[in-house]
Amino acid sequence: MPGERLPDPSLRRGIALAGGAARGFAHIGVLRAVEERGLDVSVVAGTSMGAIVGALWASGLGWEQILEIARSTSWLRLIDFRPRGGLLSPRKLREFLGRYLPDDFSGLVRPFAAVATDVVRGRSVYLHEGDLPSAVLASAAYPGLFPLIERDGLQLTDGGVLDNLPVEAARFLGAGWTLASDVSYDPDRENEPPAGLVELGRRAVDLMQARLTQVRLAMNPPDVYVRPDLAGIGLEHFGKLEEIWPRGYEAARAVLDEVEL
């Protein structure tokens, strides 16, 4: 949970990966650009889908290995309908995380924090030790779809409720320099009105999240900000992996080409 930073933050570089469901595939392309540039990233923070991708990378997998996992995974089959407690069961997602991740944070090669939301106290929680799959699961438990995840005596839901782009979580881990990959909804790039009540409800959540992220960025800006153009890509577009991840790569490469590291 939030507390004192690790020593010598100026010696560490961090990356913060935002939530965004299928849009989070763009993080794979961002990681490709980071690896190609030879950028030494010491710590990783992620929210929701950013926590899934970030945990895989923190475990020592490279961008190509993460892409292969994404390609071989039937993402919609991770959805397990249940009659109560939430529309979806976390069981299949928990099994997926357990298949590819170490059991404990201590098994990671980079310090990592998954951001979740404590729904009782109304605060962000940085999960950075103990059981790893449950931490990532809590970060990705989209409210209204997944039930609350109980961990360490807390009732947790998706970290994107309060902190969808976890720059502060990366700094909590000791990052003195942070790259942020933002795949959240971008009102400035979308021009289609929502179709139907379900999409309207989702758009309302997207807009609130986008504006909250803008406020947090103004208060705590990252050193490098990557914002892939994901116009037309919705949360549910898992079938567009091969369209999404290159957008992240092109955006990150363009930004990093202009940065003196």
Side-chain angles (χ1 to χ4, degrees):
M1 297 179 199
E4 294 184 1
R5 294 184 184 178
L6 299 174
D8 298 323
S10 62
L11 301 179
R12 292 183 172 222
R13 286 176 173 161
I15 190 166
L17 305 178
R23 293 194 291 253
F25 288 147
H27 295 318
I28 301 172
V30 173
L31 294 177
R32 176 184 176 180
V34 167
E35 290 183 18
E36 288 182 349
R37 186 68 190 273
L39 184 59
D40 182 18
V41 174
S42 301
V43 302
V44 186
T47 296
S48 201
M49 190 61 165
I52 295 174
V53 175
L56 292 169
W57 200 58
S59 73
L61 298 178
W63 75 268
E64 290 179 290
Q65 293 168 294
I66 298 172
L67 179 59
E68 285 308 308
I69 290 173
R71 284 172 171 163
S72 63
T73 298
S74 297
W75 292 91
L76 293 180
R77 291 187 179 181
L78 295 180
I79 295 173
D80 188 7
F81 288 94
R82 56 185 287 154
R84 59 189 177 84
L87 294 179
L88 309 177
S89 168
R91 179 181 62 87
K92 288 185 178 180
L93 181 55
R94 179 69 165 81
E95 291 173 354
F96 166 82
L97 296 171
R99 187 179 313 128
Y100 292 108
L101 294 175
D103 292 335
D104 195 272
F105 277 82
S106 62
L108 297 174
V109 301
R110 294 181 178 94
F112 168 71
V115 178
T117 302
D118 178 347
V119 298
V120 176
R121 297 175 178 83
R123 59 172 183 166
S124 293
V125 177
Y126 303 158
L127 303 172
H128 61 98
E129 57 186 5
D131 184 84
L132 177 60
S134 70
V136 178
L137 179 62
S139 182
Y142 195 86
L145 294 181
F146 287 98
L148 293 173
I149 305 299
E150 185 172 352
R151 190 180 191 278
D152 301 330
L154 302 176
Q155 299 295 317
L156 302 174
T157 192
D158 195 301
V161 172
L162 293 177
D163 189 2
N164 199 50
L165 185 58
V167 175
E168 294 158 74
R171 289 176 177 154
F172 159 73
L173 290 175
W177 180 100
T178 304
L179 181 152
S181 176
D182 188 359
V183 298
S184 57
Y185 178 80
D186 187 352
D188 296 327
R189 286 176 171 163
E190 300 285 351
N191 53 23
E192 293 295 328
L197 291 177
V198 173
E199 190 171 336
L200 175 60
R202 190 176 63 193
R203 179 70 60 84
V205 173
D206 281 343
L207 287 171
M208 289 186 288
Q209 191 177 74
R211 297 311 182 196
L212 178 58
T213 298
Q214 288 178 343
V215 172
R216 297 185 75 99
L217 284 171
M219 295 171 57
N220 293 285
D223 298 274
V224 175
Y225 179 69
V226 178
R227 177 75 148 166
D229 183 354
L230 297 174
I233 302 297
L235 298 173
E236 75 283 8
H237 289 159
F238 291 99
K240 295 185 177 183
L241 168 65
E242 303 300 341
E243 177 183 349
I244 298 170
W245 79 262
R247 295 197 194 187
Y249 174 63
E250 294 300 329
R253 189 175 67 171
V255 171
L256 289 175
D257 283 346
E258 300 298 321
V259 175
E260 183 176 344
L261 301 173

